Amino acid sequence: MSGPTQGFKTTVQIYRDSLRLIKHIAGDSPKAQNIRNVVRQEFRRNANETNPETIENLKFNAVRGLSNYLVYQASLKDEQIQRKIKEWEAENTKN
């Protein structure tokens, strides 16, 4: 399939991917339920948006948010990153 939109995800695809990713990362935990609720609210709140530029910005923000969450989750398992975070916090919370 070719065309001007090849390689780009539709809003519905991003929504579904978001929900799948949340389930994959957080399962059915209370945290996952809260994240799913936020995603649903954001998509519903913007469901009537018609400006193509605004829609693309919203889609970009959704993908960026999920990417940031993936990085955050991965950093929780990386000892070196955790050590650097603790060092940074210690330096920046001194009174």
Side-chain angles (χ1 to χ4, degrees):
M1 176 165 59
S2 64
T5 60
Q6 183 178 2
F8 295 98
K9 292 198 173 219
T10 67
T11 304
V12 173
Q13 288 172 322
I14 292 173
Y15 177 73
R16 289 178 181 163
D17 287 349
S18 299
L19 295 180
R20 278 190 214 105
L21 182 60
I22 293 164
K23 183 170 182 108
H24 176 73
I25 292 173
D28 289 324
S29 68
K31 184 178 193 176
Q33 292 171 2
N34 289 335
I35 296 169
R36 267 193 299 277
N37 288 336
V38 169
V39 167
R40 286 183 180 127
Q41 287 172 359
E42 284 299 308
F43 274 86
R44 285 182 185 138
R45 185 169 62 90
N46 296 298
N48 295 321
E49 182 61 55
T50 58
N51 181 329
E53 187 174 321
T54 302
I55 292 170
E56 286 304 311
N57 285 334
L58 291 167
K59 287 166 56 174
F60 176 77
N61 289 340
V63 171
R64 184 178 58 200
L66 292 172
S67 297
N68 289 345
Y69 187 73
L70 284 172
V71 170
Y72 170 74
Q73 287 297 314
S75 74
L76 295 176
K77 298 174 184 172
D78 188 314
E79 291 177 15
Q80 184 177 3
I81 291 173
Q82 288 301 308
R83 188 173 56 252
K84 292 291 183 182
I85 289 171
K86 288 178 184 175
E87 290 172 9
W88 183 88
E89 288 173 344
E91 291 174 10
N92 292 292
T93 56
K94 291 179 183 177
N95 292 328

